[in-house]
Amino acid sequence: MAKVAVLGFGTVGSGVYEIIRDKSFIKTAGEEIDVKYLLDIRDFDNDEIKPYLTKDFNDIINDDEITVVAEVMGGLHPAYEFTKQLLQKGVSVVTSNKELVATYGPELLELAKENNALYMFEASVGGGIPVIRPMTICTKANDIKKIAGILNGTTNYILNEMFAKGKDFESALSDAQAKGYAEKNPAADVEGHDACRKLAILSSMAWGRFVDYNKIPTEGICNITLEDVKYAEAQNCVIKLIGYADVDAEGKIYASVSPMLVSKDMIISSVCDVFNAVSVTGDSLGEAMFYGRGAGKLPTASAVVADIIDCVRHSDSKPHNIEWEVTDEDIMQNYECKKHTYFVRCADTKENIKKYFDNAEFVEIKDNELGFTAADIAENEFRAALENVNSPIAVFKRL
Amino acid sequence: MAKVAVLGFGTVGSGVYEIIRDKSFIKTAGEEIDVKYLLDIRDFDNDEIKPYLTKDFNDIINDDEITVVAEVMGGLHPAYEFTKQLLQKGVSVVTSNKELVATYGPELLELAKENNALYMFEASVGGGIPVIRPMTICTKANDIKKIAGILNGTTNYILNEMFAKGKDFESALSDAQAKGYAEKNPAADVEGHDACRKLAILSSMAWGRFVDYNKIPTEGICNITLEDVKYAEAQNCVIKLIGYADVDAEGKIYASVSPMLVSKDMIISSVCDVFNAVSVTGDSLGEAMFYGRGAGKLPTASAVVADIIDCVRHSDSKPHNIEWEVTDEDIMQNYECKKHTYFVRCADTKENIKKYFDNAEFVEIKDNELGFTAADIAENEFRAALENVNSPIAVFKRL
């Protein structure tokens, strides 16, 4: 019988507790899994969980029966200190805490290895969707070329409402908040920070080098209007908040989070509602995509439990196949020179635009405004040319 | 240095050889992987591979340096005999051979367990897409409720050509043959047998009981016409060859392969070209979908190589987490009573149809013909009522 402690009895924590309680089939190599502690500073009026509740982390760290801990409390502190103490003791830790993984991943992975423990984080990206493990598999027999993901369910829901129902951003956001999909303070979602941390984790997985999320340019969806929606539709596109990353021939990484125009011919454009998807392109595999519910109590908890089971199953031999190299070397590409295809809305004439973007293709759907596409142009050249365009209204990259 | 033998130097086998040769990063726990034998009865005029070629299986079975073998020869015999001998000796075997897994899976998995070896078959379903492993993960913390998959790239290509370009079945098939997507004798693909074997493997994985592919009703796509395409489009649907399986409250399994109407609102409808996708619904997870290239030399070979690496990595402790129970008990649902939503094309009147299908909803797109939908009706009741309908032309189930 493996004894588990759960740090944080919030949404995910209670889901983890319920799945372990209800799934009698959770047996691995003859070992059953049982929850021994639920750590939370809050009081709960619930007789069932009373025997497990504690407010004192020392109960857990001092109990040698505990071999696996699920850290689902979120936030950097004290999650970081708790995780460190546990790994140093040789206790495996599984987590849904993307902020912690994106911030202290290399140190915690190294600490796990040193102490013959595991640090696993399937639930930190894509909620319940198996993403981290398939990525690990893909990276074994493939050079990963690029990643494109819809990594945040809240923003995908909002954009989907704007496209499918013609709601503007504000009313789609209110609707998402009313449904519990968006927080009262929605900044982390709508400004792209949540997606940015997940992209940092995926990029680190893909290329084995720690990608600092602070270095990922991140743009949210707050400024998207129903006019933008019309222009997208006129081009057989939708707008999705995309976490995109690729690698160049020298192994340098490009990563960014931004709302992008996505052709309806691409399957990722069909990811609706609060769903997430991660598309990975490998040199042998071609494109593969993993799709599912990126958040929610039970989906996320099921990924945490899968990690717990793996830790128990590997209690003898630890498969340390994840290492994130940290170097002083600049591992990121020169973003200034990175080529993109841009779509611009502006109040200018075709003649003037053509002077600076000679291959511009135009989209006209309203008076006194023009849309144009500039294909395959370096960011710095694009920005310089755009200086000459009158009244630019909106700029999107195209996936 | 782990030494590997590859049985069969065809499309997949040569891909496996090339990936192992080219990927210097294939190192696990400090062990490099190298090909020592390529078994094939044919002669090859290729100096590079000459040192590895053998026509004699005894070279491999008698060489104690070989710890992992990739069986990518296809067909039941002698693949079955070779695999058995290897597993009995304690050598791990990985395979892309869906026919072998679907036929002898339980015996070979048992044999592997008894001899502390592994039998792995990620490449047998969905080519290079990681499907088997994510399924294994999902089943740990989820009761799987249902599976719906596009499991055959050839038929998906043909159906996609019919919908996107208005080609009829015969010319879409010729086109697929010209492109190398379909065999000269395309029966295994277009009659659904290939998808059927893959669905048997997925169902066995999902519910831990061996599903005999002979018991899966299987219908191909040969009879689908451009008239059917028009009816599907009138209902905002496409037609996909779907491998579908679910489980009832008593744990009995339903599985079938047939062309189905799929609403364009479902993401699986967007799977185009030769791509495959497997959608899995779990009680905790909700729906997850895995998408990618279901065939092809390098995609399939990359899944074989990932399995080889896993075997090498687990050379000490074998994670025997796949067991397919075989019982005398009938594990399949009573198909007669299974409810479906049917779509029927016929040359009858609304009045007559309504007599037997009181909730019928009609689609009219041409003269002297009617389409109607009968929702949520048991197969036997549907068949009995259909007896009274004049001139049924085509019948589809709806996903």
Side-chain angles (χ1 to χ4, degrees):
Chain A
M1 181 76 81
K3 298 286 186 184
V4 171
V6 180
L7 312 186
F9 194 68
T11 307
V12 178
S14 58
V16 171
Y17 170 75
E18 286 167 26
I19 292 177
I20 294 179
R21 179 194 63 194
D22 296 342
K23 299 287 177 198
S24 57
F25 61 79
I26 295 186
K27 293 182 205 141
T28 61
E31 264 195 302
E32 273 191 59
I33 292 171
D34 230 345
V35 171
K36 187 166 179 181
Y37 298 106
L38 300 170
L39 178 79
D40 208 295
I41 48 166
R42 294 169 293 184
D43 291 306
F44 294 90
D45 190 20
N46 176 336
D47 282 342
E48 185 189 322
I49 61 166
K50 275 218 172 99
Y52 313 119
L53 281 174
T54 175
K55 295 183 182 186
D56 187 359
F57 177 68
N58 288 313
D59 287 348
I60 295 164
I61 192 82
N62 292 328
D63 186 338
D64 292 342
E65 221 183 5
I66 297 293
T67 50
V68 183
V69 170
E71 183 273 295
V72 289
M73 53 203 309
L76 286 181
H77 305 284
Y80 169 65
E81 289 75 16
F82 289 173
T83 302
K84 239 175 117 164
Q85 285 187 60
L86 289 162
L87 293 174
Q88 278 165 340
K89 195 190 163 188
V91 175
S92 291
V93 178
V94 308
T95 187
S96 58
N97 190 334
K98 60 195 157 286
E99 202 184 350
L100 190 63
V101 178
T103 307
Y104 294 110
E107 182 192 348
L108 297 173
L109 285 165
E110 184 59 35
L111 212 50
K113 195 180 172 182
E114 280 171 20
N115 294 282
N116 197 32
L118 289 167
Y119 185 52
M120 300 183 79
F121 43 86
E122 180 63 74
S124 68
V125 181
I129 319 169
V131 170
I132 300 291
R133 256 168 279 214
M135 282 273 294
T136 317
I137 301 164
C138 291
T139 54
K140 286 181 192 168
N142 278 273
D143 285 320
I144 303 292
K145 297 294 180 194
K146 64 179 176 186
I147 299 168
I150 293 175
L151 303 172
N152 179 273
T154 308
T155 44
N156 202 55
Y157 177 84
I158 292 170
L159 291 170
N160 200 51
E161 290 288 294
M162 292 175 75
F163 272 80
K165 300 190 186 151
K167 292 182 188 166
D168 64 16
F169 172 76
E170 288 302 335
S171 75
L173 171 60
S174 302
D175 182 45
Q177 285 170 321
K179 287 202 157 109
Y181 296 157
E183 311 270 341
K184 213 167 162 185
N185 177 353
D189 291 322
V190 299
E191 292 175 6
H193 306 308
D194 173 79
C196 169
R197 280 155 181 80
K198 292 170 179 168
L199 182 66
I201 295 172
L202 290 175
S203 305
S204 303
M205 289 293 307
W207 296 297
R209 315 178 93 178
F210 178 58
V211 175
D212 182 351
Y213 69 82
N214 291 300
K215 291 189 180 153
I216 299 180
T218 298
E219 187 190 334
I221 63 164
C222 306
N223 298 322
I224 297 172
T225 65
L226 289 173
E227 298 289 324
D228 298 326
V229 169
K230 280 183 204 151
Y231 274 98
E233 280 175 341
Q235 298 170 80
N236 195 38
C237 287
V238 290
I239 299 170
K240 296 287 187 192
L241 184 67
I242 298 288
Y244 177 89
D246 64 23
V247 71
D248 68 14
E250 281 83 49
K252 295 211 170 194
I253 296 165
Y254 169 88
S256 77
V257 172
S258 63
M260 294 181 95
L261 286 174
V262 182
S263 163
K264 287 186 185 171
D265 294 336
M266 301 174 83
I267 191 160
I268 203 168
S269 73
S270 306
V271 175
C272 296
D273 204 64
V274 293
F275 279 81
N276 282 200
V278 178
S279 158
V280 178
T281 304
D283 63 342
S284 301
L285 179 60
E287 187 194 359
M289 190 180 82
F290 310 104
Y291 162 93
R293 292 197 170 271
K297 173 177 167 168
L298 288 177
T300 308
S302 80
V304 173
V305 173
D307 275 354
I308 292 175
I309 295 172
D310 249 20
C311 285
V312 172
R313 192 150 61 80
H314 290 294
S315 52
D316 300 327
S317 77
K318 306 281 190 295
H320 289 285
N321 50 347
I322 302 175
E323 276 178 60
W324 292 353
E325 187 193 352
V326 181
T327 58
D328 291 334
E329 182 196 343
D330 185 8
I331 63 165
M332 305 306 275
Q333 293 174 32
N334 180 350
Y335 283 39
E336 294 280 289
C337 303
K338 183 78 179 174
K339 285 187 176 179
H340 304 279
T341 293
Y342 290 90
F343 173 73
V344 180
R345 286 174 57 201
C346 62
D348 202 343
T349 62
K350 286 187 189 179
E351 293 63 39
N352 192 52
I353 292 165
K354 285 222 166 194
K355 275 192 229 160
Y356 305 100
F357 296 96
D358 51 353
N359 292 317
E361 287 185 26
F362 296 95
V363 184
E364 291 171 88
I365 60 169
K366 58 181 293 205
D367 293 340
N368 306 318
E369 199 186 304
L370 262 181
F372 73 90
T373 298
D376 211 25
I377 176 172
E379 173 133 12
N380 51 5
E381 287 170 34
F382 170 78
R383 293 286 160 200
L386 193 65
E387 290 287 316
N388 302 296
V389 169
N390 289 318
S391 312
I393 299 163
V395 175
F396 292 94
K397 287 173 190 155
R398 220 180 146 117
L399 181 61
Chain B
M1 179 77 82
K3 297 286 186 185
V4 170
V6 180
L7 312 186
F9 195 68
T11 308
V12 178
S14 59
V16 170
Y17 169 76
E18 287 168 25
I19 291 177
I20 294 179
R21 179 195 62 193
D22 296 342
K23 299 288 175 195
S24 58
F25 61 78
I26 294 187
K27 290 184 207 140
T28 62
E31 264 196 302
E32 270 191 59
I33 292 171
D34 230 345
V35 171
K36 186 166 179 183
Y37 298 105
L38 299 169
L39 178 78
D40 207 296
I41 50 168
R42 293 168 293 183
D43 291 307
F44 295 89
D45 190 20
N46 177 336
D47 283 341
E48 183 188 323
I49 61 166
K50 273 217 174 101
Y52 313 119
L53 280 173
T54 175
K55 295 183 182 183
D56 187 357
F57 177 68
N58 288 314
D59 288 348
I60 295 164
I61 191 83
N62 293 328
D63 186 337
D64 292 340
E65 221 184 5
I66 297 293
T67 50
V68 183
V69 171
E71 183 273 295
V72 288
M73 54 204 307
L76 286 182
H77 306 283
Y80 169 65
E81 289 75 15
F82 288 173
T83 302
K84 239 176 116 164
Q85 285 185 61
L86 289 161
L87 293 174
Q88 278 164 340
K89 196 191 163 188
V91 176
S92 292
V93 179
V94 309
T95 187
S96 59
N97 190 333
K98 60 195 156 282
E99 203 184 348
L100 191 62
V101 178
T103 308
Y104 295 109
E107 182 192 347
L108 296 172
L109 284 166
E110 184 60 34
L111 211 52
K113 193 180 172 184
E114 280 171 21
N115 295 282
N116 198 30
L118 289 168
Y119 186 52
M120 299 183 81
F121 42 88
E122 181 63 72
S124 69
V125 181
I129 319 169
V131 170
I132 299 292
R133 254 168 279 216
M135 282 274 292
T136 317
I137 300 165
C138 290
T139 54
K140 285 182 192 168
N142 278 272
D143 285 320
I144 303 290
K145 296 295 180 194
K146 63 179 178 187
I147 298 168
I150 293 175
L151 303 173
N152 179 273
T154 309
T155 45
N156 201 55
Y157 178 84
I158 293 170
L159 291 171
N160 200 52
E161 290 288 294
M162 293 175 75
F163 272 81
K165 299 187 187 154
K167 292 183 188 164
D168 64 16
F169 172 77
E170 288 303 335
S171 75
L173 171 60
S174 303
D175 182 47
Q177 286 169 322
K179 288 203 156 106
Y181 295 157
E183 310 271 341
K184 215 166 160 185
N185 176 354
D189 290 322
V190 298
E191 292 175 5
H193 306 307
D194 173 78
C196 169
R197 280 156 180 78
K198 291 170 180 169
L199 182 64
I201 295 171
L202 289 176
S203 306
S204 302
M205 288 294 306
W207 296 297
R209 317 178 91 178
F210 178 58
V211 175
D212 181 352
Y213 69 82
N214 291 299
K215 291 190 180 151
I216 298 179
T218 297
E219 189 190 332
I221 64 162
C222 307
N223 299 322
I224 297 173
T225 66
L226 289 174
E227 298 288 324
D228 297 328
V229 169
K230 280 183 204 150
Y231 275 98
E233 280 175 339
Q235 298 170 80
N236 194 39
C237 287
V238 291
I239 298 171
K240 295 287 186 192
L241 184 67
I242 298 288
Y244 176 89
D246 63 23
V247 70
D248 68 13
E250 280 83 49
K252 295 211 168 195
I253 296 164
Y254 169 89
S256 77
V257 173
S258 62
M260 296 180 95
L261 287 174
V262 182
S263 164
K264 288 186 184 170
D265 294 335
M266 301 174 82
I267 191 161
I268 203 168
S269 72
S270 306
V271 175
C272 295
D273 205 63
V274 294
F275 280 80
N276 283 200
V278 178
S279 157
V280 177
T281 304
D283 63 341
S284 301
L285 179 59
E287 187 194 358
M289 191 180 83
F290 311 106
Y291 163 94
R293 292 196 172 271
K297 173 176 167 167
L298 289 178
T300 308
S302 80
V304 173
V305 173
D307 276 353
I308 292 175
I309 294 171
D310 247 21
C311 286
V312 172
R313 193 151 60 82
H314 290 293
S315 53
D316 299 327
S317 77
K318 306 282 191 294
H320 289 285
N321 50 346
I322 301 176
E323 276 179 59
W324 292 352
E325 186 193 352
V326 181
T327 57
D328 291 334
E329 183 196 341
D330 184 8
I331 63 164
M332 306 307 274
Q333 292 173 33
N334 180 351
Y335 282 40
E336 294 279 289
C337 303
K338 183 78 179 174
K339 286 186 176 182
H340 304 280
T341 293
Y342 290 91
F343 173 73
V344 180
R345 286 175 55 203
C346 63
D348 201 344
T349 61
K350 286 187 189 178
E351 293 64 39
N352 193 50
I353 292 165
K354 285 223 166 194
K355 274 193 231 161
Y356 304 100
F357 296 96
D358 50 353
N359 292 317
E361 287 186 25
F362 296 94
V363 184
E364 291 171 88
I365 59 169
K366 59 181 293 207
D367 293 338
N368 305 318
E369 200 186 303
L370 261 180
F372 72 90
T373 298
D376 209 26
I377 176 171
E379 174 133 11
N380 52 5
E381 287 170 33
F382 170 78
R383 293 287 160 200
L386 193 66
E387 290 289 315
N388 301 295
V389 169
N390 288 319
S391 313
I393 298 163
V395 175
F396 292 94
K397 287 172 190 155
R398 222 183 144 118
L399 181 61

